[in-house]
Amino acid sequence: MTASRIVSLGHYQPPKVLTNDDLATLVDTDDEWIRSRVGVRTRHIAVDETLVDLATEAAQKALAASGRQPQEVDLVVVATCTAVERSPNTAAAVAARLGITAPAAYDINTVCSGFSYALATADHAIRAGAATRALVIGAERMSDTIDWTDRTTCVIFGDGAGAAVVEAVPDEEAGIGPVVWGSEPEKGDAVVITGWDPTISQQGQAVFRWATTKIAPLARETCRRAGIEPSELRGFVAHQANLRIIDAIASKLGVGPDTVVARDVVDSGNTSAASIPLALSKLVERGELRPGDPVLLFGFGGGLAYAGQVVRCP
């Protein structure tokens, strides 16, 4: 039997940093108000970089870290909700930039849970024999959707990208566990990006209640399917929606005292589909997570869609 594992990671954020004090000059807010409600201190904002630029930078780093050549990749998947171009899709544009020849290439949009969805589809493709090595990317230019006069949303979001190289391994070396995924489409209006000149809006309290009550049981089920107790996790990387949400889920999930909980939202804001690979890549780069460590990834948000899996660190 064939399975898959993550062999390398990479991330990229644009150099422009927007602080809470900067935002206070644009809208009625201040550092204390933002940090007490969502936990964000700074976020990165793209100026000249396109979505394809962000995705390509992260993918290039992941590919370089893997030691593989572009020609060895046969599947490219990009999770994003901020693509402007309908055709070619972001995945095809990234493949062209990197010199990947004849890959299957598609974008996937489940908003904030996008990377976990993309990782699951790549894992399934490899297990089915339809691919042998995949480049899985989460990339967002959320600043394109922001109303800078709305303090309930403009303080939250940022831009960036994260990527993983995923390849086939024997089943006994599997590094990506079974996915738990789904959605609550009847609540889809809780987070909305609509129109040709899109602006994001969300029902903050409704999203907070949903995330802090519904996600922990789903995360526990993800651990159960992977054959691991939450207390045995070495890392927990949730979608970086809001610091209060992350801490509430981690507490209800029952992670161990030594579990590394990603809190990249403090420095990066909410980067939607990019948030999980971005945070995971940073933890690995800093040595806070080591090769083989079991880590729970769990994305949730717009849709209201969710997805998660336990992975082994590269």
Side-chain angles (χ1 to χ4, degrees):
M1 296 288 289
T2 299
S4 75
R5 63 171 182 143
I6 297 173
V7 297
S8 63
L9 296 159
H11 64 273
Y12 177 77
Q13 292 175 280
K16 180 178 173 58
V17 175
L18 192 67
T19 68
N20 290 345
D21 289 338
D22 293 332
L23 281 169
T25 68
L26 303 175
V27 70
D28 181 19
T29 191
D30 58 46
D31 180 67
E32 190 279 331
W33 189 91
I34 298 169
R35 295 182 73 164
S36 65
R37 285 162 177 77
V38 296
V40 180
R41 181 174 58 194
T42 60
R43 70 287 293 149
H44 291 249
I45 302 296
V47 178
D48 299 318
E49 302 94 339
T50 67
L51 178 67
V52 173
D53 292 334
L54 301 178
T56 301
E57 289 284 349
Q60 199 163 32
K61 291 179 179 179
L63 198 56
S66 74
R68 302 338 186 232
Q69 297 302 310
Q71 295 78 13
E72 297 178 84
V73 174
D74 53 11
L75 172 62
V76 180
V77 188
V78 174
T80 186
C81 68
T82 53
V84 175
E85 289 76 19
R86 269 62 172 176
S87 179
N89 63 25
T90 309
V94 171
R97 292 268 191 98
L98 295 177
I100 299 172
T101 53
Y106 60 88
D107 292 358
I108 188 168
N109 178 8
T110 60
V111 199
C112 304
S113 58
F115 183 77
S116 284
Y117 266 82
L119 187 61
T121 63
D123 174 55
H124 296 165
I126 289 171
R127 287 176 179 271
T132 57
R133 186 168 292 108
L135 193 51
V136 183
I137 306 162
E140 300 284 16
R141 189 173 152 134
M142 295 301 294
S143 57
D144 285 343
T145 72
I146 293 173
D147 175 358
W148 294 103
T149 67
D150 177 11
R151 75 171 185 170
T152 65
T153 56
C154 74
V155 303
I156 299 172
F157 297 97
D159 301 333
V165 174
V166 179
E167 67 181 23
V169 294
D171 195 54
E172 61 271 18
E173 297 176 21
I176 299 176
V179 66
V180 171
W181 54 7
S183 66
E184 295 189 26
E186 69 278 8
K187 298 178 181 177
D189 60 352
V191 183
V192 176
I193 304 174
T194 59
W196 289 103
D197 185 15
T199 301
I200 190 167
S201 62
Q202 65 176 8
Q203 300 168 18
Q205 287 302 311
V207 173
F208 183 89
R209 287 193 299 270
W210 174 76
T212 55
T213 58
K214 296 294 184 69
I215 299 305
L218 293 165
R220 280 196 295 272
E221 173 62 14
T222 306
C223 291
R224 187 193 68 78
R225 293 194 191 183
I228 190 172
E229 292 294 326
S231 59
E232 298 174 306
L233 292 168
R234 184 67 187 89
F236 174 45
V237 184
H239 164 50
Q240 302 293 290
N242 173 312
L243 188 59
R244 292 166 60 208
I245 289 174
I246 294 166
D247 288 342
I249 295 171
S251 176
K252 291 182 178 181
L253 177 59
V255 299
D258 296 327
T259 302
V260 177
V261 177
R263 296 183 174 91
D264 188 51
V265 67
V266 173
D267 298 313
S268 300
N270 178 338
T271 56
S272 190
S275 75
I276 287 177
L278 184 61
L280 179 62
S281 179
K282 287 183 180 181
L283 290 175
V284 171
E285 182 178 73
R286 293 196 298 260
E288 295 182 50
L289 293 173
R290 307 296 297 172
D293 281 347
V295 181
L296 172 63
L297 312 181
F298 209 96
F300 54 87
L304 293 170
Y306 54 84
Q309 56 272 102
V310 174
V311 304
R312 295 280 174 177
C313 277

